[in-house]
């Protein structure tokens, strides 16, 4: 189990670890040996769910790929259940923040499953440059760098 040995326990108790071990309350949606899904305490919209690995992984850098794949699979199942519930949803967003600059506030990997509907008021805000499409050579330059890294 080399992958799991990457787990590093945080110095202070992690709220999601406490939810997993039952010492903090949660409204559970799904549980198996690898992950837990529960209602977000401050939902963007009603039905907002978090899917977390049971083992503490700080962010994507620590998360074993097969656990990430499992979390995605469970989130997909949850998303596809949503139309059969009373939750208002015309669509679903998945969101995972990796790092503080990306909006990560709880440093225990979690995948948000967010029911969406038109006029719900939620959305990304775009920077001033968003409307200026980059030149092809600029896209290519970044693509080459990432491709090189993936090939390592
Ligand atoms: P992040 O910004 O790290 O991607 O998202 C953290 C999420 O965790 C937020 O949506 C926040 O509402 C949720 N959250 C923080 N503390 C708790 C908690 O104690 N219980 C539950 N259920 N959700 C929490
Ligand atoms: Zn944790």
């Amino acid at each position: 189990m080399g992958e799991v040995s990457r787990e590093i326990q945080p110095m202070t108790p992690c709220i999601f670890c406490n939810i997993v071990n039952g010492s903090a309350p949660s409204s559970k949606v799904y549980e198996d040996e690898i992950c837990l899904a529960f209602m977000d305490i401050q939902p963007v919209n009603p039905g907002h769910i978090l899917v977390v690995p049971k083992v503490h992984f700080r962010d994507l850098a620590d998360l074993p790929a097969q656990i990430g794949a499992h979390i995605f699979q469970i989130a997909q199942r949850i998303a596809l259940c949503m139309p059969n519930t009373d939750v208002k949803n015309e669509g679903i967003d998945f969101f995972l923040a990796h790092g503080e600059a990306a909006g990560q506030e709880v440093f225990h990997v979690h995948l948000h499953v967010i029911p969406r509907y038109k006029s719900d008021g939620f959305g990304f805000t775009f920077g001033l440059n968003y409307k200026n499409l980059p030149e092809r050579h600029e896209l290519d330059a970044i693509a080459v760098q990432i491709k090189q890294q993936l090939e390592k």
Side-chain angles (χ1 to χ4, degrees):
M1 297 296 282
E3 297 276 31
V4 171
S5 69
R6 281 196 259 161
E7 171 200 2
I8 300 165
Q9 285 299 335
M11 297 292 283
T12 50
C14 160
I15 180 60
F16 291 172
C17 283
N18 286 342
I19 286 173
V20 167
N21 69 30
S23 62
S26 71
S27 298
K28 291 181 189 172
V29 167
Y30 174 85
E31 182 169 15
D32 62 27
E33 64 281 7
I34 295 168
C35 76
L36 179 69
F38 54 90
M39 306 309 296
D40 194 297
I41 204 171
Q42 189 175 11
V44 165
N45 284 322
H48 181 168
I49 288 163
L50 302 173
V51 189
V52 310
K54 284 190 164 174
V55 169
H56 181 90
F57 298 108
R58 179 183 163 84
D59 57 28
L60 288 180
D62 294 334
L63 183 70
Q66 70 271 30
I67 295 185
H70 182 77
I71 283 167
F72 186 93
Q73 197 178 13
I74 298 308
Q76 184 180 17
R77 282 180 60 194
I78 291 168
L80 295 177
C81 282
M82 217 61 91
N84 301 323
T85 70
D86 290 338
V87 172
K88 185 171 180 181
N89 71 111
E90 297 165 357
I92 304 277
D93 275 345
F94 282 4
F95 179 76
L96 190 154
H98 167 68
E100 198 177 342
Q104 187 173 6
E105 290 180 350
V106 177
F107 288 86
H108 177 137
V109 170
H110 51 283
L111 180 58
H112 295 256
V113 179
I114 306 174
R116 297 296 311 277
Y117 52 91
K118 284 180 186 158
S119 79
D120 64 13
F122 180 63
F124 290 106
T125 52
F126 298 104
L128 290 176
N129 279 328
Y130 177 68
K131 288 196 171 150
N132 304 328
L133 298 188
E135 301 286 343
R136 175 63 56 192
H137 70 86
E138 295 173 287
L139 295 175
D140 286 346
I142 298 170
V144 163
Q145 283 186 34
I146 295 170
K147 203 169 157 215
Q148 282 170 351
Q149 291 301 314
L150 288 171
E151 285 164 356
K152 279 185 179 171

